[in-house]
Amino acid sequence: MVQKGTDRVKRGMAEMQKGGVIMDVVNAEQAKIAEEAGATAVMALERVPSDIRKAGGVARMADPTIVEEVQNAVSIPVMAKARIGHIVEARVLEAMKVDYIDESEVLTPADDVFHIDKKAFTVPFVCGCRDLGEAARRIGEGAAMLRTKGEPGTGNIVEAVRHMRLVNSQVRKVVSMEKDEVMVFAKELGAPYEILLQIKESGRLPVVNFAAGGVATPADAALMMELGADGVFVGSGIFKSENPAKFARSIVEATTYYQDYERIVELSKGLGTPMKGIDMSNLEPAERMQDRGI
Amino acid sequence: MATRIGVLALQGAVSEHVHALENSGSQVSLVKNIGDLEGLDGLVLPGGESTMMRRMMDRYGLFEAVKQFAAEKPVFGTCAGLILMAKQIEGRKGPHLSLLDIDVKRNAFGRQVESFEADLAIKGISDHYTGVFIRAPYIKSAAANVDVLATYEGHIVACRQERFLCCAFHPELTSDPAMHRYFVQMVNESR
């Protein structure tokens, strides 16, 4: 008997990405630089988050030409973003056989209430989360991989740190609870009870959780690994830096050797100016991408 | 002394292998640097991205160290690990570690939407084994001295050549310990 699109196959694909760096790219040339630097996957986009921020307006799924160009350029997995709740963008990406779909708050949500029923798809999905409630809701909808939301395109790690710490502390809390306390915690978090129970019994999230949103330096990537991330997404950081190839390679190495501080010293030298970055207090509420699709 | 097996820990499904090997009665440690190979009786090359693992092995001399290790000790590669061990890789100029007399095709079953689970019979290991294939390679051909252990739809998906074992699927993603037990036994016999 042969089965495709099982939970094990979808979640397993993300397990194979662990300890790796997934890089945002907008064309074949960038995809090749990413692969050469040791990226474990690329995210094919029309614009990186910091440019989406600058451009304003409605951000949508990338032109299929860009996704195909990237698919033809590399042999590592290719991911692509669909708008939150945009079932058809997701179906289009599935028809193009992208390896993973990011139902992403970086794009303008198509549905301000509901996410996509991801269990209905053969292709696996990754979703953002800020706390265990969001994490469990997305898993309940069928997400096979999670990532922190952070605050995309800011080059500021503070939100990703907050989200990673909060999810992990809430996982520890549910694991240490008595079983009869879980239902009320589920109510407080707005989380599906069965998912919390699973987490309690296995002692961990049932899917991997990567860091995303604001990773701008090798030390940022290593910090997220230190805090328990399974791997790292880097968006605007790499191709907005002065020397993308060197920068990409340094982020990859810092992620693998995240506790080897002498090595991170060397990796951090001479990288040129990282992206300028935005302080959270300078963002208007409407500019906060992380508050979309919660 | 208990058997000591290392898992190459540059990237990929490392913790799953560690868990499965420990359950099969081996001591396990992670291999990130050349010095980590010292005192090991065997090595596992996990699933993940072979391109990334090769790049990282090249940067700090781990590549030569693993090759030297494999000249004497047993090695087990799963999925990406199998690709690292093959002597020929379709569409690629040269091999990586070049340990096994096999010719492999990467992503041979297609992209992620084609990833699947299937029942397998693995010669001398298990009659009913769930193979989890994720963007998996298969072995197009194997030399006469390679022992074919499993096939799927006519393609070789597991084999052994002396101290080297490999499979295209992911035993680390199932709770069936048969493949890991077999490798631990191989390592024990080689000591």
Side-chain angles (χ1 to χ4, degrees):
Chain A
M1 198 180 58
V2 181
Q3 288 181 292
K4 291 183 183 175
T6 60
D7 277 353
R8 187 149 61 181
V9 159
K10 289 174 170 177
R11 291 173 181 181
M13 157 83 209
E15 304 280 352
M16 297 309 140
Q17 292 285 313
K18 283 195 299 190
V21 179
I22 300 167
M23 301 182 189
D24 279 1
V25 299
V26 300
N27 55 39
E29 185 201 348
Q30 291 187 354
K32 282 181 184 152
I33 291 171
E35 184 175 49
E36 190 59 34
T40 48
V42 288
M43 177 79 70
L45 289 164
E46 202 151 315
R47 283 195 287 256
V48 296
S50 64
D51 286 339
I52 290 176
R53 225 173 242 296
K54 264 186 236 154
V58 174
R60 308 178 180 89
M61 173 187 83
D63 183 326
T65 320
I66 294 175
V67 179
E68 275 175 6
E69 182 188 317
V70 170
Q71 283 176 317
N72 293 332
V74 294
S75 65
I76 53 176
V78 175
M79 304 185 171
K81 289 184 195 289
R83 280 181 268 177
I84 290 172
H86 206 310
I87 302 160
V88 173
E89 282 190 351
R91 285 293 182 195
V92 167
L93 293 173
E94 184 180 50
M96 294 179 70
K97 299 193 173 181
V98 303
D99 294 296
Y100 238 90
I101 295 176
D102 185 359
E103 187 182 17
S104 177
E105 69 281 2
V106 168
L107 305 182
T108 312
D111 190 322
D112 60 359
V113 182
F114 301 108
H115 278 73
I116 297 168
D117 170 20
K118 294 167 273 290
K119 286 188 175 157
F121 287 71
T122 307
V123 66
F125 282 76
V126 53
C127 285
C129 62
R130 300 174 307 173
D131 59 31
L132 186 57
E134 270 187 72
R137 289 195 290 280
R138 300 296 87 81
I139 294 166
E141 293 157 358
M145 178 182 192
L146 295 170
R147 54 170 176 76
T148 59
K149 282 179 161 174
E151 190 54 50
T154 59
N156 189 337
I157 198 68
V158 66
E159 296 300 300
V161 166
R162 185 202 314 282
H163 302 159
M164 186 57 68
R165 278 195 179 274
L166 185 54
V167 168
N168 288 342
S169 85
Q170 288 171 327
V171 167
R172 286 193 297 273
K173 191 171 171 189
V174 75
V175 169
S176 65
M177 271 180 176
E178 294 296 331
K179 196 177 166 194
D180 52 14
E181 295 170 329
V182 175
M183 183 59 88
V184 169
F185 195 44
K187 188 181 80 174
E188 285 168 9
L189 291 173
Y193 172 69
E194 288 71 20
I195 304 278
L196 288 196
L197 215 51
Q198 252 182 51
I199 292 167
K200 177 175 171 47
E201 275 154 19
S202 64
R204 48 159 288 186
L205 288 169
V207 301
V208 303
N209 188 16
F210 271 46
V215 177
T217 65
D220 284 349
L223 168 65
M224 295 313 297
M225 295 300 287
E226 184 77 46
L227 293 175
D230 289 307
V232 179
F233 282 88
V234 186
S236 321
I238 291 168
F239 292 100
K240 288 286 160 193
S241 70
E242 281 175 21
N243 185 346
K246 188 175 179 199
F247 198 89
R249 188 182 143 151
S250 297
I251 293 249
V252 168
E253 286 186 33
T255 303
T256 296
Y257 296 100
Y258 67 93
Q259 286 175 322
D260 186 340
Y261 307 117
E262 275 100 31
R263 189 165 297 185
I264 297 174
V265 170
E266 295 308 314
L267 295 172
S268 305
K269 282 181 182 167
L271 287 179
T273 323
M275 58 188 290
K276 181 160 177 269
I278 302 172
D279 189 84
M280 289 309 129
S281 59
N282 293 333
L283 277 185
E284 296 294 327
E287 294 173 318
R288 284 164 60 90
M289 291 174 172
Q290 61 175 287
D291 298 332
R292 297 163 164 181
I294 57 177
Chain B
M1 233 173 71
T3 310
R4 281 189 59 198
I5 297 177
V7 180
L8 186 71
L10 299 173
Q11 183 273 320
V14 175
S15 59
E16 289 82 355
H17 272 297
V18 170
H19 190 69
L21 289 165
E22 281 174 349
N23 284 345
S24 304
S26 172
Q27 279 185 14
V28 189
S29 56
L30 302 182
V31 175
K32 282 193 181 189
N33 296 293
I34 295 173
D36 299 334
L37 289 164
E38 215 168 291
L40 295 180
D41 305 307
L43 180 66
V44 168
L45 308 176
E49 289 302 321
S50 60
T51 328
M52 186 277 187
M53 291 185 209
R54 174 63 195 270
R55 296 269 179 282
M56 295 295 276
M57 281 199 284
D58 280 343
R59 283 176 205 171
Y60 298 100
L62 197 53
F63 183 75
E64 284 307 319
V66 169
K67 268 199 94 152
Q68 276 174 22
F69 181 87
E72 293 172 3
K73 306 276 178 68
V75 179
F76 177 24
T78 65
C79 195
L82 173 155
I83 294 164
L84 291 175
M85 294 171 79
K87 285 199 177 166
Q88 272 191 60
I89 303 162
E90 190 186 285
R92 196 179 188 283
K93 270 187 206 143
H96 298 292
L97 295 165
S98 194
L99 306 176
L100 273 161
D101 284 305
I102 55 173
D103 185 356
V104 302
K105 183 176 162 69
R106 297 183 60 204
N107 303 335
F109 296 97
R111 295 185 186 273
Q112 170 62 14
V113 285
E114 312 293 342
S115 293
F116 62 98
E117 296 182 26
D119 292 335
L120 302 173
I122 306 173
K123 193 173 85 179
I125 297 179
S126 172
D127 293 336
H128 299 284
Y129 194 88
T130 305
V132 181
F133 293 81
I134 296 175
R135 288 171 43 93
Y138 64 60
I139 298 160
K140 285 159 57 182
S141 63
N145 56 343
V146 174
D147 192 9
V148 173
L149 302 179
T151 60
Y152 174 72
E153 289 187 337
H155 304 296
I156 304 168
V157 292
C159 66
R160 177 177 174 179
Q161 183 179 0
E162 295 164 11
R163 65 188 177 281
F164 302 131
L165 178 70
C166 72
C167 57
F169 48 89
H170 291 283
E172 72 274 22
L173 293 183
T174 67
S175 51
D176 189 332
M179 287 294 290
H180 286 91
R181 277 189 192 155
Y182 182 82
F183 181 64
V184 171
Q185 198 187 327
M186 272 174 64
V187 174
N188 280 331
E189 285 165 5
S190 78
R191 290 173 76 196

